[in-house]
Amino acid sequence: MQQYLTLDFAIVAAYLLLTLVVGLITGRGIKTMKDYVIGDRKRLTTPVLVATYFATVVGAGTVVGSVEKIFAGGIIWVCAGLGAAFERMLIA
């Protein structure tokens, strides 16, 4: 059993080390936050980045939880959900 734990640890450590090396090599030319976010791609506009942020913040758990609360609590949860959406727009 101890042998498998060592092999598993070695695989995970090698993957993390490889990820670190690739990240350091490819990240040498990054000077600004815009370079980090979109790189040389000029097609990524602000609305695309905002949509990406929303997709990251709002996950399946949020959607399922919201539907359950609306079903159980009624229209007041719709208003609360819209308030949260406006809050996220202000943050973005």
Side-chain angles (χ1 to χ4, degrees):
M1 182 74 173
Q2 188 69 18
Q3 167 184 341
Y4 295 118
L5 292 176
T6 306
L7 178 63
D8 291 343
F9 179 76
I11 291 171
V12 171
Y15 171 75
L16 292 175
L17 185 64
L18 178 68
T19 304
L20 178 66
V21 169
V22 168
L24 289 174
I25 290 171
T26 58
R28 283 186 281 167
I30 295 174
K31 302 286 188 246
T32 65
M33 181 59 91
K34 188 173 183 180
D35 289 340
Y36 173 75
V37 173
I38 62 173
D40 292 332
R41 298 183 186 126
K42 303 298 181 200
R43 296 180 311 220
L44 293 178
T45 60
T46 301
V48 172
L49 294 176
V50 170
T52 303
Y53 171 76
F54 284 152
T56 303
V57 170
V58 178
T62 304
V63 173
V64 172
S66 298
V67 171
E68 186 269 333
K69 286 179 183 174
I70 291 169
F71 181 77
I75 194 72
I76 193 69
W77 287 103
V78 174
C79 297
L82 290 174
F86 287 128
E87 177 258 341
R88 290 199 171 101
M89 281 192 250
L90 289 174
I91 289 174

PDB file of all heavy atoms in Angstrom, residues 22-43:
ATOM      1  N   VAL A  22       5.880  25.201 -17.242  1.00  0.00           N
ATOM      2  CA  VAL A  22       5.213  25.730 -18.438  1.00  0.00           C
ATOM      3  C   VAL A  22       4.684  27.137 -18.163  1.00  0.00           C
ATOM      4  O   VAL A  22       4.812  28.036 -19.008  1.00  0.00           O
ATOM      5  CB  VAL A  22       4.076  24.780 -18.890  1.00  0.00           C
ATOM      6  CG1 VAL A  22       3.198  25.433 -19.939  1.00  0.00           C
ATOM      7  CG2 VAL A  22       4.644  23.488 -19.411  1.00  0.00           C
ATOM      8  N   GLY A  23       4.105  27.357 -16.997  1.00  0.00           N
ATOM      9  CA  GLY A  23       3.596  28.682 -16.646  1.00  0.00           C
ATOM     10  C   GLY A  23       4.699  29.726 -16.574  1.00  0.00           C
ATOM     11  O   GLY A  23       4.532  30.855 -17.039  1.00  0.00           O
ATOM     12  N   LEU A  24       5.828  29.372 -16.005  1.00  0.00           N
ATOM     13  CA  LEU A  24       6.934  30.325 -15.909  1.00  0.00           C
ATOM     14  C   LEU A  24       7.531  30.634 -17.282  1.00  0.00           C
ATOM     15  O   LEU A  24       7.890  31.783 -17.567  1.00  0.00           O
ATOM     16  CB  LEU A  24       8.019  29.780 -14.972  1.00  0.00           C
ATOM     17  CG  LEU A  24       7.647  29.750 -13.495  1.00  0.00           C
ATOM     18  CD1 LEU A  24       8.737  29.067 -12.689  1.00  0.00           C
ATOM     19  CD2 LEU A  24       7.387  31.153 -12.974  1.00  0.00           C
ATOM     20  N   ILE A  25       7.617  29.625 -18.137  1.00  0.00           N
ATOM     21  CA  ILE A  25       8.181  29.850 -19.475  1.00  0.00           C
ATOM     22  C   ILE A  25       7.250  30.716 -20.317  1.00  0.00           C
ATOM     23  O   ILE A  25       7.694  31.667 -20.972  1.00  0.00           O
ATOM     24  CB  ILE A  25       8.472  28.505 -20.166  1.00  0.00           C
ATOM     25  CG1 ILE A  25       9.649  27.820 -19.484  1.00  0.00           C
ATOM     26  CG2 ILE A  25       8.756  28.702 -21.657  1.00  0.00           C
ATOM     27  CD1 ILE A  25       9.889  26.395 -19.947  1.00  0.00           C
ATOM     28  N   THR A  26       5.959  30.404 -20.309  1.00  0.00           N
ATOM     29  CA  THR A  26       5.033  31.161 -21.153  1.00  0.00           C
ATOM     30  C   THR A  26       4.684  32.522 -20.575  1.00  0.00           C
ATOM     31  O   THR A  26       4.208  33.387 -21.298  1.00  0.00           O
ATOM     32  CB  THR A  26       3.732  30.370 -21.377  1.00  0.00           C
ATOM     33  OG1 THR A  26       3.151  30.078 -20.120  1.00  0.00           O
ATOM     34  CG2 THR A  26       3.993  29.105 -22.150  1.00  0.00           C
ATOM     35  N   GLY A  27       4.903  32.741 -19.305  1.00  0.00           N
ATOM     36  CA  GLY A  27       4.539  34.010 -18.683  1.00  0.00           C
ATOM     37  C   GLY A  27       5.640  35.047 -18.640  1.00  0.00           C
ATOM     38  O   GLY A  27       5.474  36.102 -18.031  1.00  0.00           O
ATOM     39  N   ARG A  28       6.759  34.792 -19.297  1.00  0.00           N
ATOM     40  CA  ARG A  28       7.878  35.741 -19.237  1.00  0.00           C
ATOM     41  C   ARG A  28       7.568  37.079 -19.885  1.00  0.00           C
ATOM     42  O   ARG A  28       8.039  38.102 -19.434  1.00  0.00           O
ATOM     43  CB  ARG A  28       9.112  35.142 -19.890  1.00  0.00           C
ATOM     44  CG  ARG A  28       9.804  34.138 -19.005  1.00  0.00           C
ATOM     45  CD  ARG A  28      11.079  33.686 -19.615  1.00  0.00           C
ATOM     46  NE  ARG A  28      10.717  32.684 -20.630  1.00  0.00           N
ATOM     47  CZ  ARG A  28      11.518  32.226 -21.552  1.00  0.00           C
ATOM     48  NH1 ARG A  28      12.744  32.678 -21.626  1.00  0.00           N
ATOM     49  NH2 ARG A  28      11.122  31.317 -22.408  1.00  0.00           N
ATOM     50  N   GLY A  29       6.764  37.102 -20.953  1.00  0.00           N
ATOM     51  CA  GLY A  29       6.510  38.348 -21.676  1.00  0.00           C
ATOM     52  C   GLY A  29       5.348  39.156 -21.155  1.00  0.00           C
ATOM     53  O   GLY A  29       5.009  40.188 -21.720  1.00  0.00           O
ATOM     54  N   ILE A  30       4.739  38.747 -20.079  1.00  0.00           N
ATOM     55  CA  ILE A  30       3.554  39.445 -19.568  1.00  0.00           C
ATOM     56  C   ILE A  30       3.983  40.628 -18.716  1.00  0.00           C
ATOM     57  O   ILE A  30       4.717  40.485 -17.741  1.00  0.00           O
ATOM     58  CB  ILE A  30       2.682  38.470 -18.752  1.00  0.00           C
ATOM     59  CG1 ILE A  30       2.144  37.394 -19.674  1.00  0.00           C
ATOM     60  CG2 ILE A  30       1.548  39.212 -18.068  1.00  0.00           C
ATOM     61  CD1 ILE A  30       1.384  36.305 -18.963  1.00  0.00           C
ATOM     62  N   LYS A  31       3.501  41.810 -19.113  1.00  0.00           N
ATOM     63  CA  LYS A  31       3.867  43.028 -18.391  1.00  0.00           C
ATOM     64  C   LYS A  31       2.669  43.686 -17.710  1.00  0.00           C
ATOM     65  O   LYS A  31       2.809  44.336 -16.695  1.00  0.00           O
ATOM     66  CB  LYS A  31       4.489  44.044 -19.362  1.00  0.00           C
ATOM     67  CG  LYS A  31       5.708  43.517 -20.074  1.00  0.00           C
ATOM     68  CD  LYS A  31       6.905  43.462 -19.163  1.00  0.00           C
ATOM     69  CE  LYS A  31       8.140  43.112 -19.941  1.00  0.00           C
ATOM     70  NZ  LYS A  31       8.719  41.850 -19.605  1.00  0.00           N
ATOM     71  N   THR A  32       1.485  43.572 -18.310  1.00  0.00           N
ATOM     72  CA  THR A  32       0.307  44.239 -17.764  1.00  0.00           C
ATOM     73  C   THR A  32      -0.793  43.216 -17.497  1.00  0.00           C
ATOM     74  O   THR A  32      -0.713  42.069 -17.932  1.00  0.00           O
ATOM     75  CB  THR A  32      -0.240  45.290 -18.750  1.00  0.00           C
ATOM     76  OG1 THR A  32      -0.700  44.621 -19.925  1.00  0.00           O
ATOM     77  CG2 THR A  32       0.826  46.313 -19.107  1.00  0.00           C
ATOM     78  N   MET A  33      -1.843  43.663 -16.808  1.00  0.00           N
ATOM     79  CA  MET A  33      -2.983  42.799 -16.536  1.00  0.00           C
ATOM     80  C   MET A  33      -3.703  42.429 -17.834  1.00  0.00           C
ATOM     81  O   MET A  33      -4.184  41.320 -17.993  1.00  0.00           O
ATOM     82  CB  MET A  33      -3.952  43.490 -15.578  1.00  0.00           C
ATOM     83  CG  MET A  33      -5.150  42.641 -15.240  1.00  0.00           C
ATOM     84  SD  MET A  33      -4.724  41.067 -14.486  1.00  0.00           S
ATOM     85  CE  MET A  33      -4.752  41.509 -12.788  1.00  0.00           C
ATOM     86  N   LYS A  34      -3.750  43.342 -18.786  1.00  0.00           N
ATOM     87  CA  LYS A  34      -4.397  43.057 -20.068  1.00  0.00           C
ATOM     88  C   LYS A  34      -3.641  41.957 -20.811  1.00  0.00           C
ATOM     89  O   LYS A  34      -4.255  41.080 -21.424  1.00  0.00           O
ATOM     90  CB  LYS A  34      -4.478  44.314 -20.920  1.00  0.00           C
ATOM     91  CG  LYS A  34      -5.298  44.132 -22.169  1.00  0.00           C
ATOM     92  CD  LYS A  34      -5.503  45.437 -22.890  1.00  0.00           C
ATOM     93  CE  LYS A  34      -6.390  45.219 -24.096  1.00  0.00           C
ATOM     94  NZ  LYS A  34      -6.619  46.437 -24.827  1.00  0.00           N
ATOM     95  N   ASP A  35      -2.324  41.978 -20.757  1.00  0.00           N
ATOM     96  CA  ASP A  35      -1.543  40.890 -21.357  1.00  0.00           C
ATOM     97  C   ASP A  35      -1.876  39.560 -20.696  1.00  0.00           C
ATOM     98  O   ASP A  35      -1.972  38.538 -21.362  1.00  0.00           O
ATOM     99  CB  ASP A  35      -0.046  41.143 -21.217  1.00  0.00           C
ATOM    100  CG  ASP A  35       0.454  42.268 -22.089  1.00  0.00           C
ATOM    101  OD1 ASP A  35      -0.242  42.607 -23.059  1.00  0.00           O
ATOM    102  OD2 ASP A  35       1.537  42.799 -21.790  1.00  0.00           O
ATOM    103  N   TYR A  36      -2.045  39.585 -19.403  1.00  0.00           N
ATOM    104  CA  TYR A  36      -2.350  38.355 -18.671  1.00  0.00           C
ATOM    105  C   TYR A  36      -3.732  37.819 -19.031  1.00  0.00           C
ATOM    106  O   TYR A  36      -3.914  36.632 -19.229  1.00  0.00           O
ATOM    107  CB  TYR A  36      -2.276  38.611 -17.162  1.00  0.00           C
ATOM    108  CG  TYR A  36      -2.724  37.450 -16.326  1.00  0.00           C
ATOM    109  CD1 TYR A  36      -1.918  36.340 -16.179  1.00  0.00           C
ATOM    110  CD2 TYR A  36      -3.960  37.464 -15.696  1.00  0.00           C
ATOM    111  CE1 TYR A  36      -2.327  35.261 -15.414  1.00  0.00           C
ATOM    112  CE2 TYR A  36      -4.375  36.392 -14.936  1.00  0.00           C
ATOM    113  CZ  TYR A  36      -3.551  35.306 -14.799  1.00  0.00           C
ATOM    114  OH  TYR A  36      -3.963  34.242 -14.049  1.00  0.00           O
ATOM    115  N   VAL A  37      -4.698  38.726 -19.145  1.00  0.00           N
ATOM    116  CA  VAL A  37      -6.075  38.305 -19.361  1.00  0.00           C
ATOM    117  C   VAL A  37      -6.323  37.863 -20.789  1.00  0.00           C
ATOM    118  O   VAL A  37      -6.870  36.794 -21.040  1.00  0.00           O
ATOM    119  CB  VAL A  37      -7.048  39.433 -18.963  1.00  0.00           C
ATOM    120  CG1 VAL A  37      -8.467  39.080 -19.328  1.00  0.00           C
ATOM    121  CG2 VAL A  37      -6.951  39.712 -17.484  1.00  0.00           C
ATOM    122  N   ILE A  38      -5.928  38.677 -21.771  1.00  0.00           N
ATOM    123  CA  ILE A  38      -6.282  38.359 -23.153  1.00  0.00           C
ATOM    124  C   ILE A  38      -5.094  38.119 -24.058  1.00  0.00           C
ATOM    125  O   ILE A  38      -5.273  37.669 -25.184  1.00  0.00           O
ATOM    126  CB  ILE A  38      -7.179  39.449 -23.766  1.00  0.00           C
ATOM    127  CG1 ILE A  38      -6.467  40.794 -23.804  1.00  0.00           C
ATOM    128  CG2 ILE A  38      -8.484  39.548 -23.038  1.00  0.00           C
ATOM    129  CD1 ILE A  38      -7.235  41.858 -24.534  1.00  0.00           C
ATOM    130  N   GLY A  39      -3.915  38.402 -23.612  1.00  0.00           N
ATOM    131  CA  GLY A  39      -2.736  38.134 -24.436  1.00  0.00           C
ATOM    132  C   GLY A  39      -2.723  38.959 -25.709  1.00  0.00           C
ATOM    133  O   GLY A  39      -3.015  40.144 -25.694  1.00  0.00           O
ATOM    134  N   ASP A  40      -2.409  38.329 -26.818  1.00  0.00           N
ATOM    135  CA  ASP A  40      -2.346  39.029 -28.099  1.00  0.00           C
ATOM    136  C   ASP A  40      -3.667  39.021 -28.844  1.00  0.00           C
ATOM    137  O   ASP A  40      -3.744  39.519 -29.958  1.00  0.00           O
ATOM    138  CB  ASP A  40      -1.269  38.384 -28.986  1.00  0.00           C
ATOM    139  CG  ASP A  40       0.121  38.609 -28.430  1.00  0.00           C
ATOM    140  OD1 ASP A  40       0.314  39.627 -27.744  1.00  0.00           O
ATOM    141  OD2 ASP A  40       1.003  37.768 -28.682  1.00  0.00           O
ATOM    142  N   ARG A  41      -4.686  38.467 -28.261  1.00  0.00           N
ATOM    143  CA  ARG A  41      -5.978  38.382 -28.947  1.00  0.00           C
ATOM    144  C   ARG A  41      -6.704  39.709 -28.846  1.00  0.00           C
ATOM    145  O   ARG A  41      -6.997  40.179 -27.759  1.00  0.00           O
ATOM    146  CB  ARG A  41      -6.820  37.274 -28.349  1.00  0.00           C
ATOM    147  CG  ARG A  41      -6.169  35.932 -28.507  1.00  0.00           C
ATOM    148  CD  ARG A  41      -7.076  34.848 -27.954  1.00  0.00           C
ATOM    149  NE  ARG A  41      -6.359  33.593 -27.995  1.00  0.00           N
ATOM    150  CZ  ARG A  41      -6.183  32.816 -26.965  1.00  0.00           C
ATOM    151  NH1 ARG A  41      -6.673  33.144 -25.802  1.00  0.00           N
ATOM    152  NH2 ARG A  41      -5.520  31.695 -27.083  1.00  0.00           N
ATOM    153  N   LYS A  42      -7.026  40.297 -29.969  1.00  0.00           N
ATOM    154  CA  LYS A  42      -7.716  41.585 -29.981  1.00  0.00           C
ATOM    155  C   LYS A  42      -9.231  41.420 -30.041  1.00  0.00           C
ATOM    156  O   LYS A  42      -9.969  42.366 -29.883  1.00  0.00           O
ATOM    157  CB  LYS A  42      -7.262  42.419 -31.189  1.00  0.00           C
ATOM    158  CG  LYS A  42      -5.774  42.649 -31.235  1.00  0.00           C
ATOM    159  CD  LYS A  42      -5.287  43.409 -30.042  1.00  0.00           C
ATOM    160  CE  LYS A  42      -3.792  43.627 -30.152  1.00  0.00           C
ATOM    161  NZ  LYS A  42      -3.176  43.932 -28.905  1.00  0.00           N
ATOM    162  N   ARG A  43      -9.721  40.197 -30.283  1.00  0.00           N
ATOM    163  CA  ARG A  43     -11.153  39.975 -30.431  1.00  0.00           C
ATOM    164  C   ARG A  43     -11.879  39.938 -29.099  1.00  0.00           C
ATOM    165  O   ARG A  43     -13.088  40.030 -29.055  1.00  0.00           O
ATOM    166  CB  ARG A  43     -11.402  38.658 -31.161  1.00  0.00           C
ATOM    167  CG  ARG A  43     -10.884  38.656 -32.565  1.00  0.00           C
ATOM    168  CD  ARG A  43     -11.177  37.329 -33.199  1.00  0.00           C
ATOM    169  NE  ARG A  43     -10.761  36.259 -32.300  1.00  0.00           N
ATOM    170  CZ  ARG A  43     -10.166  35.152 -32.668  1.00  0.00           C
ATOM    171  NH1 ARG A  43      -9.921  34.935 -33.918  1.00  0.00           N
ATOM    172  NH2 ARG A  43      -9.824  34.240 -31.790  1.00  0.00           N
TER     173      ARG A  43
END
